[in-house]
Amino acid sequence: MAGAGAAPLRAADQSEQPLKDIAGARGLRYGSTAMASQLLPGDSFTDLLLREAAALVAENEMKWLHMSTARFHSDYRVADCLVDFAAAHRLLCRGHNLLWYWTIPAWFKELSDRKTARAALLRRVTDMVTRYRGRIDSWDVVNEPVDAAADRTDHLRADVFLKQVGPEYLALAHLAARAADPEARLVLNECGVEYDTPDMDRKRAAVLDVVETMRKRQVPIDALGIQAHLAVGRYPFSEQKLRDYLARAAAMGLEIQITELDCTDDLAPADIPARDRLVADEYRRFLDVVLDEPAVKIVMSWGLSDRYSWIVRHENTLEQRRSDGEEERPLPFDRDLKRKPAWYALAAAFAHAPQRERGARREHSPSVEG
Ligand code: XIL
């Protein structure tokens, strides 16, 4: 049911139920990204995260570039901290990510033969998944592998993996991940599928095509990740197109995860109440549609508080920064950890979501993968 009307503007109230409980009552997992440096005993943000979130994903610390110290070598200590923190607090832990063209160590790009590159890629996947076996609910195996504009029938992005290993890298990575932890869910995580533009039409079609091909070739995949970096006022939205995308993924037997939910406000007015309402409305419109699809089982915010957001740090694209110099307000809590209208939009969307079920670990379907 698509929501109507403006987001309620209520003052922060400590007695509100945490988002994780409102979502949890519907069988949904709600969580957030965080950095290891933001998780400190007794810290007010850490307390907030533990109150609101039932799932955790590392913002950067599990990316290959951030872990790699030398050819074939990684430092696992910071990634360990995050996984240990999740385990200690019984948070479901997502693994983000095994491979992403954006964060690749220079030495991998410089390898001069395919055999070594393939071995390096497989070693990265196998080492990571083995180390955290049993502790990661779902892995983003390849982050953003699809390029709908690519002049390729397989729709794969012409990235470093294609260049160094070849188009079989996607299947190789998924097979290696499955072998290393057969119970972890394997996710294909993509951006740019949320709105109604010709580019995003093509992207949705391309992603579904890629997944369909993986299915046909018996390449293991369990879930589709929708990053959901929303943007106030930037693109038209089609409820129907989004519903169709979700339905087609669900019909292939895939779980769907909202993996990186946040919302830019550079096209919204400076006035804070007006801006916060537009951000909340953007969240509500999106979530009302996606939560109607029972295959959606996880919603992760890309940060809980405006205190810690890549949008506020201006690590996203240049054109999505406010030109008036005002600080962006993309997340459910403000800098002072007070609930914003966005929080109430998430709470309302979760509260109205149809009930769903989800097992603790991946259910095996040996008949599909042989
Ligand atoms: C972002 C982090 O939030 C930033 O701190 C970093 O500078 C760049 O990466 N899609 C993804 C995430 O899959 O890994 C990205 O995270 C945001 C876009």
Side-chain angles (χ1 to χ4, degrees):
M1 24 134 276
L9 270 173
R10 279 190 275 169
D13 170 359
Q14 288 306 311
S15 69
E16 297 283 359
Q17 253 197 313
L19 289 176
K20 69 174 177 199
D21 292 347
I22 306 171
R26 319 308 300 163
L28 267 170
R29 283 280 192 155
Y30 174 70
S32 175
T33 192
M35 293 189 192
S37 60
Q38 296 160 1
L39 301 174
L40 301 165
D43 173 74
S44 55
F45 174 79
T46 309
D47 289 346
L48 177 81
L49 183 109
L50 289 173
R51 191 180 77 217
E52 299 288 327
L56 179 69
V57 62
E59 183 160 0
N60 290 308
E61 294 93 329
M62 283 194 170
K63 294 170 184 170
W64 197 2
L65 175 66
H66 293 251
M67 299 182 72
S68 177
T69 48
R71 216 174 133 131
F72 282 95
H73 287 284
S74 282
D75 185 335
Y76 291 88
R77 285 175 297 176
V78 185
D80 284 354
C81 283
L82 282 151
V83 178
D84 289 346
F85 181 91
H89 297 283
R90 298 175 174 282
L91 303 174
L92 175 149
C93 196
R94 295 195 77 257
H96 177 77
N97 48 53
L98 295 172
L99 300 170
W100 184 26
Y101 73 97
W102 193 254
T103 47
I104 292 305
W107 62 264
F108 178 79
K109 296 184 196 160
E110 286 155 13
L111 293 174
S112 53
D113 68 294
R114 279 203 170 199
K115 221 175 119 209
T116 313
R118 180 185 159 119
L121 181 142
L122 287 174
R123 172 102 161 249
R124 156 74 181 166
V125 171
T126 301
D127 284 358
M128 284 293 279
V129 180
T130 305
R131 184 178 189 91
Y132 300 116
R133 183 183 171 127
R135 304 213 281 162
I136 298 291
D137 174 85
S138 15
W139 275 110
D140 294 332
V141 181
V142 182
N143 197 35
E144 303 177 355
V146 178
D147 178 4
D151 193 16
R152 299 178 55 89
T153 51
D154 62 12
H155 311 300
L156 292 183
R157 183 187 294 278
D159 60 14
V160 59
F161 308 117
L162 211 65
K163 175 167 168 278
Q164 295 291 67
V165 181
E168 65 273 27
Y169 88 87
L170 180 62
L172 287 173
H174 274 251
L175 287 162
R178 178 66 97 230
D181 183 353
E183 298 199 327
R185 294 175 172 94
L186 306 184
V187 186
L188 191 149
N189 192 37
E190 264 299 349
C191 59
V193 298
E194 298 79 7
Y195 290 100
D196 185 15
T197 68
D199 280 353
M200 296 201 207
D201 285 345
R202 280 191 288 275
K203 185 72 170 275
R204 283 186 292 271
V207 172
L208 291 170
D209 226 48
V210 168
V211 174
E212 213 162 13
T213 306
M214 292 172 82
R215 281 282 199 231
K216 271 194 210 126
R217 298 186 180 159
Q218 308 200 348
V219 176
I221 174 165
D222 306 298
L224 193 60
I226 298 179
Q227 291 188 1
H229 294 293
L230 306 181
V232 166
R234 187 167 294 275
Y235 311 107
F237 177 77
S238 163
E239 176 176 332
Q240 198 51 50
K241 286 182 180 179
L242 188 57
R243 277 187 199 283
D244 289 349
Y245 182 64
L246 301 163
R248 287 194 52 199
M252 284 192 254
L254 295 171
E255 173 172 305
I256 300 165
Q257 305 185 354
I258 307 304
T259 53
E260 306 180 11
L261 184 63
D262 60 11
C263 184
T264 53
D265 66 0
D266 55 298
L267 298 179
D271 176 66
I272 287 179
R275 183 145 50 110
D276 283 358
R277 237 180 346 261
L278 288 169
V279 169
D281 288 345
E282 197 71 27
Y283 275 119
R284 191 211 332 260
R285 182 173 67 171
F286 178 77
L287 286 176
D288 280 348
V289 174
V290 298
L291 295 181
D292 246 2
E293 169 52 63
V296 176
K297 303 287 172 80
I298 294 187
V299 177
M300 303 291 291
S301 282
W302 205 241
L304 272 185
S305 149
D306 296 339
R307 186 184 293 182
Y308 300 130
S309 162
W310 74 310
I311 293 170
V312 178
R313 293 194 303 269
H314 291 174
E315 292 167 357
N316 60 342
T317 57
L318 212 73
E319 86 250 13
Q320 299 208 321
R321 295 172 194 172
R322 291 191 65 85
S323 56
D324 60 6
E326 292 291 320
E327 188 168 276
E328 291 81 359
R329 299 174 60 84
L331 293 172
F333 290 87
D334 72 9
R335 215 172 229 293
D336 300 323
L337 312 182
K338 293 209 182 66
R339 290 180 186 83
K340 292 161 55 192
W343 186 95
Y344 292 95
L346 264 65
F350 293 156
H352 295 125
Q355 189 71 37
R356 58 262 280 152
E357 302 278 339
R358 184 178 196 257
R361 304 286 286 151
R362 185 182 84 88
E363 283 157 39
H364 294 259
S365 50
S367 56
V368 178
E369 280 154 38

